[in-house]
Amino acid sequence: MMRKSWFKRLLLSYMPVFIIVVTFIFFIFFQLFSEQSRSEALNANKTLSLQAMRIVDTSLKVIDNMIVLESINSEPLNNFFRAAGGSDPYINIRAVQKLKELINYYPLIDSIYLVRNSDGYVLSDATNAYIGSYPDHTFIEEYQVSKTPKWTGGRSFEQFKMIGGKQVVSLVRGSPYMKNDLGMIVVNVSVDSLNKLTEDMYESKVSFIQVNDASGRLLFGSEAKVEKSELFSEYTSGYTGWKYGSGLINGGYVNAVSALYNLWFAVGLIMIAAGFIWMIYVTRRNAKPIERIAERFSGYSLPVSGAGLWKGKPDEFAFIESAFDHILEQSRTYQERYQEDLHLRTRYLFHQLIEGQTEISLEKWREEAVRLNLPEPLERFRLLIIEMDKYGEFCRKYTAGDQNLLKFTLRTVAGEIAMRLNIRIWSEWTSPSSLAVICFEREETDDREGEVLARFAAQTLNWTEQNLKFTVTIGSGEGIYRIHDLPKSYKSAVEALKYKIVLGENRLIRSQDIAGTSNAEVYAHLGEIRSIIQSFRMLNIGWEELYEAWFGQLKGSLLTNEEIFNLMNYLLYNVGRELSDMNKEFYRRWVQEGLPMLTEMLEHGSSLEQLRFEIKQELSSLFESMRRHQEGRQYTSMIRDICKLIEQDYANPNLSLEMLGDRFQLNPKYISKLFKEHTGQRFVDFLIHVRMREAVRLLLETDDSVQEIAEGVGYTHAISFTRVFKRIMGVAPGEYRSDQLRKANG
């Protein structure tokens, strides 16, 4: 009973203060709101006038510019003005068509007519006559003397007497432009059309717009008589000279109401003073019971020395405050530790799932999901890996703090995009450059999930590229139905990303897109590399074609990143090996400059196109230096002729060093030595390489038997051909043909 009495006493004591303050705030609020609304209305009214002027001026300028351009460029109009006396129907018809075309293209135009000075002939879109009989002859005669590029004020234009006139503003332009000696073009714009441009911009019951021409006559807008004091804004167009005025209807009443603001403010001050006096009285009356309660704490010692003192005196409220601060600090510390523990447990569980190091059941996962605030598992799962492209460049470009912020942003955005697409995901960073994402899918919506996954990937890729200034590539693993198969889906996503350098960055790579696809045999590319290096060593300009063709094959071969880098290293190794047998200066330049630069490029290379460009640029520079050096050496031309002869006559089984010696009048052994020095390859190895290259082409492009192909490339016995082919290509000719056909057919 005592508690209720004390509650009612406090409530009734402070209620008058509450009522006074609320009443004052209520009136002040509505007064401030009224004043703010008035201020905003005035600002909006000023903007209204300015916007109306800009809209009208812009519309008229567009028409003016169009007329100037047409007077210069339009063939029908120029033909009309240059026509001799009399009227050519064909010229007139084309001119009328042009006028109608302009009217249709610019709906503001009400009518256009042309006046030809040579004979006083007037032609409009609806009629034709001579100046003396044309209804608008007074206007024509006035402006024939002085043509103005400005728009006229409002005037009545009458094209047909039986229809009557309408209010228009007119633009007069001479033809041709600048000279103005052949005639003039008169464009009439209806005042009603200009009025419609602005009438939707304001509420006629609240505000008004009046537009007067240069002479002060009303063009359009509100027709009511407006006092000067009711105009809140007025602008004069520098283009037309028209005046645009706007204001609020009943503006005088609004000003009178706003004047009451000072009265309400004075009443409010009185109410505050009354409330303050009443509060002091009530506080003094109610302070005694609180003081008695505080006295009961004075006998307790505080937990912290000095915590219950204020200016050297005991302070019971400081004691209570200190106790509460101590409790809150303990609670905050506990919450921080708990949240940190939850984060660590979440990451630990994620890594256990994708690495297959846990035997957690579906029910146990659901319990953990509730405890750790994770998405609940569904019927099917899929792993995605969002890998940052050019991560080395990313680390060099940003500080550690910026890197963490951008990674946090990427993860957050991926979650928001998934939420918008109604996808459940769980993402964690598994490496500095890779964000692993578990997608939860429903079994009965396979097709839709595939579409939604593609949309999720596309939106993530686009947003990252446009807003974070770097790109990512997404590897998609296969869909699985058991928790214990999550490592399998994760591994397939990792495998998909291994083809990024061939398939390209900033895209989605699905595991099913590469699954079951036979990778091109690496050793088949080794032969292409040897052909390129051989042509390069022989200073054959055709090496570039072989180089480009080989990279074209790489783009379609679907090799992994590791296989691509191995082939590039093999290419660089062969370049160095060939150069080591040649001029020491070239080899030194290669070892000290070219090779280190290309090796570093390989370490940071991100695309096949980048590798192609960088390596070709260095080899081209080296090729030009070698070519200039070799041009001064003896026998260079002869070795080139021998290489061409081998390329053309490889099918001759009698092609040998002895035959070349007879042909070039040199000792066969000396030819062999020169060939090795200039090409870096023995004659017989070069001949075998040419024959095997042609044999591969015949195996893939024809149905000829192995015996026929052997004879076609210079071998009299198929056994010899098969033995050499197997030594070079790794398999017999028949097996090679079968393997390639099987790969081509999937």
Side-chain angles (χ1 to χ4, degrees), residues 16 48 89 120 124 144-145 282 304 346 402 420 448 473 491 505 512 528 570 599 602 605 664 674 693 708 714 716:
L48 174 65
S124 73
Q144 270 187 324
V145 177
V282 171
V304 181
T346 301
D402 291 341
R420 288 201 302 267
R448 180 182 175 276
T473 302
K491 183 178 179 181
E505 298 177 338
Q512 58 265 34
E528 297 294 333
Y570 182 74
T599 301
L602 283 179
F664 292 95
L674 292 175
R693 185 180 63 195
E708 292 173 337
T716 56

Side-chain angles (χ1 to χ4, degrees), residues 698 702-715 718 721:
L698 294 174
T702 70
D703 296 328
D704 295 347
S705 65
V706 174
Q707 177 64 41
E708 292 173 337
I709 293 175
E711 294 174 355
V713 296
Y715 290 90
F721 167 70

Side-chain angles (χ1 to χ4, degrees), residues 271-377:
M271 294 175 67
I272 289 176
F276 182 72
I277 295 172
W278 177 258
M279 186 173 61
I280 293 175
Y281 167 73
V282 171
T283 302
R284 288 177 61 86
R285 189 179 67 178
N286 295 335
K288 293 181 179 181
I290 298 176
E291 289 176 354
R292 288 195 297 267
I293 294 174
E295 288 176 357
R296 301 183 62 179
F297 288 94
S298 60
Y300 289 93
S301 59
L302 299 177
V304 181
S305 177
L309 299 178
W310 183 74
K311 293 185 177 180
K313 299 179 180 180
D315 188 353
E316 293 81 2
F317 291 103
F319 174 82
I320 298 173
E321 181 181 4
S322 176
F324 273 111
D325 288 343
H326 183 68
I327 294 172
L328 290 175
E329 179 65 23
Q330 288 184 331
S331 176
R332 185 184 64 81
T333 303
Y334 171 77
Q335 289 292 336
E336 289 179 352
R337 292 178 179 176
Y338 179 73
Q339 292 297 330
E340 182 179 355
D341 181 61
L342 283 182
H343 178 66
L344 293 176
R345 289 175 59 189
T346 301
R347 291 193 61 187
Y348 179 70
L349 177 60
F350 187 92
H351 283 270
Q352 280 189 316
L353 289 172
I354 66 174
E355 293 171 5
Q357 299 177 359
T358 180
E359 298 295 331
I360 189 172
S361 63
L362 194 61
E363 292 73 17
K364 184 65 175 176
W365 189 354
R366 288 196 174 96
E367 294 177 5
E368 287 292 315
V370 174
R371 187 178 299 110
L372 301 177
N373 194 25
L374 300 174
E376 292 189 6

